[in-house]
């Protein structure tokens, strides 16, 4: 019975890994069609933003949002929901950061689907002066990270075939293979002060969320000198989402962690964060982040669960201003116990977890909150057979 239970658990981990790591053919199709459109249609190659709006990119009287993603469809949902629900769309500047392969499809999409009067900037990482000069610590850390992951030879089948390791160890190794955890898009937020040297404050948005209200009041929040405005995840009644402390993410059996942190201290959420870049530049947050990435690599990835939140919890330790939970409802990608009505009433909902709304494993009850911001009659959406359900 123990052996059967172990096998069943490992199979479940494997199926989850495959379902959440694969790129649906519809999204692949969309990127290819947009890349083709970029090469053949001048209207898909517009400068974003247009020349007369460029000064707004460094004007602190605007509301500046930053979104880093290589997923065109997900980015379009965030952008559309942000602008449609804004009371001041003409004051919005959305800085979209993407990678080299997605730059042309992303530019084509927003050239052909403008969200006026909001100002949209699409930039690839290689376009940032800071990024192309000298050494970028997060890149060095990721190269070392890839070398550590290279020990998982043979991929998922070899990991699952191991008969001696415990299921949770196998689950961690499968997670280590996920492209998401080794994506530069995931780590880039730690370099926001260098990437936007002229800006004082930005709101950072993940690509798996939906904005359901006007976000301009976030600029009126007094951060009391703190760097990161975030929702705390141990103050609500929902045990699925709001019961996270540091021990939920960090490995307190490791002396490096247990010596430096309190396991019962409240955690906070990445995904919708207000970053005071002026205050950030006066700290050593980015250096702390890279120091702990190094320590984790030296410890064979044993200091925390995978992802960018655990090193973020460490780097921003003591620099977080807690904001109202209304601004960021979590967990819609790993549980469906949150009712549709509750999710609909939140300011921002976040599909963090494996069941992303663009995947087949999305929860049908919650997916309409995301899909309502897609125009399913759009020619690109239709031609790639992207459907509401």
């Amino acid at each position: 019975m123990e052996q059967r239970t172990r096998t069943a658990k490992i199979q479940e981990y494997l199926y989850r890994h495959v379902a959440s790591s694969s790129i649906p053919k519809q999204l692949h199709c969309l990127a290819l069609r947009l890349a083709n459109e970029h090469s053949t249609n001048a209207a898909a190659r517009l400068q974003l933003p247009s020349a007369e709006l460029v000064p707004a990119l460094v004007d602190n009287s605007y509301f500046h949002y930053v979104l880093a993603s290589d997923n065109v469809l997900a980015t379009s949902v965030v952008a559309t929901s942000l602008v449609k629900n804004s009371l001041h769309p003409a004051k919005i500047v959305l800085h979209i950061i993407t990678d080299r392969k997605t730059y042309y499809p992303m530019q084509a999409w927003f050239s052909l689907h403008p969200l006026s009067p909001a100002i949209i900037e699409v930039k690839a990482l290689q376009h940032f002066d800071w990024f192309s000069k000298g050494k970028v610590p997060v890149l060095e850390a990721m190269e070392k990270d890839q070398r550590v992951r290279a020990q998982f030879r043979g991929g998922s089948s070899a990991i699952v075939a191991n008969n001696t390791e415990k299921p949770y160890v196998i689950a961690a190794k499968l997670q280590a293979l996920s492209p998401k955890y080794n994506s530069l898009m995931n780590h880039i937020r730690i370099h926001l002060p260098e990437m936007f040297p002229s800006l004082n404050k930005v709101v950072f948005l993940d690509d798996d969320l939906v904005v359901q209200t006007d976000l301009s009041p976030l600029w009126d929040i007094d951060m009391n000198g703190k760097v990161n405005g975030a929702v705390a995840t141990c103050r609500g009644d929902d045990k699925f989402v709001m019961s996270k402390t540091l021990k939920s993410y960090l490995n307190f059996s490791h002396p490096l962690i247990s010596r430096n942190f309190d396991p019962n201290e409240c955690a906070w959420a990445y995904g919708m964060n207000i970053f005071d870049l002026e205050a950030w530049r006066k700290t050593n947050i980015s250096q702390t982040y890279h120091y702990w990435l190094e320590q984790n690599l030296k410890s064979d990835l044993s200091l925390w669960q995978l992802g960018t939140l655990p090193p973020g919890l460490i780097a921003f330790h003591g620099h977080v201003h807690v904001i109202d939970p209304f601004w960021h409802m979590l967990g819609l990608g790993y549980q469906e116990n949150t009712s549709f009505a509750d999710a609909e009433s939140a300011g921002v909902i976040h599909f963090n977890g494996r069941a992303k709304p663009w995947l087949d494993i999305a929860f049908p009850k919650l997916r309409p909150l995301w899909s309502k911001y897609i125009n399913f009659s759009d020619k690109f959406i239709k031609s790639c057979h992207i459907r509401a359900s």
Side-chain angles (χ1 to χ4, degrees):
M1 283 299 292
E2 280 183 7
Q3 188 56 43
R4 278 185 182 176
T5 304
R6 179 183 183 280
T7 303
K9 271 187 184 174
I10 289 168
Q11 283 300 315
E12 181 191 355
Y13 292 141
L14 178 62
Y15 294 150
R16 274 197 208 156
H17 165 72
V18 171
S20 62
S21 299
S22 55
I23 300 171
K25 62 184 179 183
Q26 294 95 328
L27 295 194
H28 189 56
C29 164
L30 183 63
L32 290 175
R33 286 189 180 272
L34 288 167
N36 182 62
E37 193 74 11
H38 186 277
S39 67
T40 58
N41 181 358
R45 296 193 295 273
L46 300 179
Q47 178 186 338
L48 293 174
S50 55
E52 68 272 15
L53 296 174
V54 166
L57 300 179
V58 293
D59 185 340
N60 282 295
S61 67
Y62 285 82
F63 302 130
H64 291 268
Y65 300 86
V66 179
L67 193 164
S69 177
D70 59 359
N71 183 328
V72 177
L73 186 64
T75 300
S76 78
V77 169
V78 178
T80 304
S81 65
L82 171 68
V83 175
K84 277 193 173 178
N85 290 298
S86 174
L87 298 177
H88 313 282
K91 298 289 286 179
I92 287 177
V93 178
L94 176 60
H95 305 266
I96 297 169
I97 306 168
T98 191
D99 58 13
R100 195 183 297 269
K101 69 175 168 51
T102 315
Y103 172 67
Y104 294 127
M106 194 77 80
Q107 188 190 32
W109 178 269
F110 285 100
S111 292
L112 298 169
H113 303 83
L115 290 169
S116 301
I119 298 165
I120 308 290
E121 176 189 37
V122 177
K123 225 171 170 183
L125 281 171
Q126 69 267 22
H127 296 151
F128 285 90
D129 292 340
W130 158 84
F131 194 77
S132 57
K133 289 176 187 168
K135 291 196 290 190
V136 181
V138 77
L139 279 179
E140 294 182 338
M142 285 179 65
E143 284 171 14
K144 291 174 183 170
D145 200 21
Q146 282 173 327
R147 288 200 288 274
V148 173
R149 289 161 202 265
Q151 65 186 280
F152 307 138
R153 298 188 191 286
S156 55
S157 55
I159 292 171
V160 170
N162 190 308
N163 290 319
T164 56
E165 286 185 322
K166 293 179 178 172
Y168 74 87
V169 175
I170 287 173
K173 287 187 174 182
L174 285 172
Q175 245 191 330
L177 292 179
S178 175
K180 171 188 166 187
Y181 293 113
N182 202 33
S183 166
L184 194 53
M185 295 295 105
N186 228 15
H187 287 276
I188 207 65
R189 71 193 93 194
I190 204 65
H191 290 296
L192 288 175
E194 299 103 306
M195 297 174 80
F196 298 98
S198 303
L199 298 184
N200 300 335
K201 185 181 280 189
V202 300
V203 169
F204 189 91
L205 303 172
D206 272 358
D207 67 358
D208 53 352
L209 54 77
V210 177
V211 178
Q212 302 186 128
T213 191
D214 175 45
L215 295 187
S216 55
L218 295 175
W219 266 261
D220 298 327
I221 293 174
D222 182 358
M223 301 266 283
N224 298 312
K226 302 291 188 183
V227 173
N228 178 3
V231 167
T233 54
C234 65
R235 302 194 174 183
D237 299 324
D238 184 351
K239 71 178 192 291
F240 295 99
V241 176
M242 301 295 283
S243 58
K244 308 285 189 183
T245 57
L246 292 191
K247 67 184 175 191
S248 307
Y249 299 100
L250 306 180
N251 176 16
F252 278 88
S253 63
H254 197 289
L256 251 183
I257 297 295
S258 57
R259 273 202 310 268
N260 289 284
F261 305 100
D262 174 4
N264 297 311
E265 190 174 335
C266 197
W268 48 268
Y270 257 157
M272 199 296 301
N273 301 84
I274 312 162
F275 287 122
D276 184 331
L277 300 184
E278 278 191 303
W280 189 337
R281 292 183 188 105
K282 298 171 186 170
T283 71
N284 61 351
I285 286 170
S286 301
Q287 297 93 312
T288 303
Y289 186 88
H290 292 115
Y291 169 79
W292 281 95
L293 282 185
E294 286 282 345
Q295 294 306 309
N296 194 36
L297 290 169
K298 288 176 185 173
S299 305
D300 291 330
L301 307 180
S302 64
L303 296 188
W304 54 69
Q305 291 184 17
L306 284 169
T308 48
L309 177 58
L313 292 172
I314 294 173
F316 287 100
H317 196 250
H319 297 285
V320 177
H321 174 75
V322 175
I323 61 175
D324 193 294
F326 164 79
W327 293 111
H328 191 182
M329 176 182 276
L330 294 150
L332 304 192
Y334 64 77
Q335 53 82 27
E336 56 179 339
N337 295 283
T338 301
S339 73
F340 184 90
D342 284 348
E344 201 174 28
S345 66
V348 175
I349 52 172
H350 193 175
F351 289 85
N352 58 310
R354 287 188 176 91
K356 302 298 184 196
W358 54 85
L359 297 176
D360 288 339
I361 57 172
F363 298 119
K365 180 177 79 174
L366 299 171
R367 192 174 189 269
L369 292 166
W370 180 82
S371 60
K372 75 185 207 180
Y373 291 101
I374 299 172
N375 174 10
F376 292 99
S377 63
D378 179 86
K379 71 172 187 176
F380 296 103
I381 299 294
K382 280 178 79 173
S383 65
C384 288
H385 307 291
I386 297 170
R387 299 187 178 93
S389 59

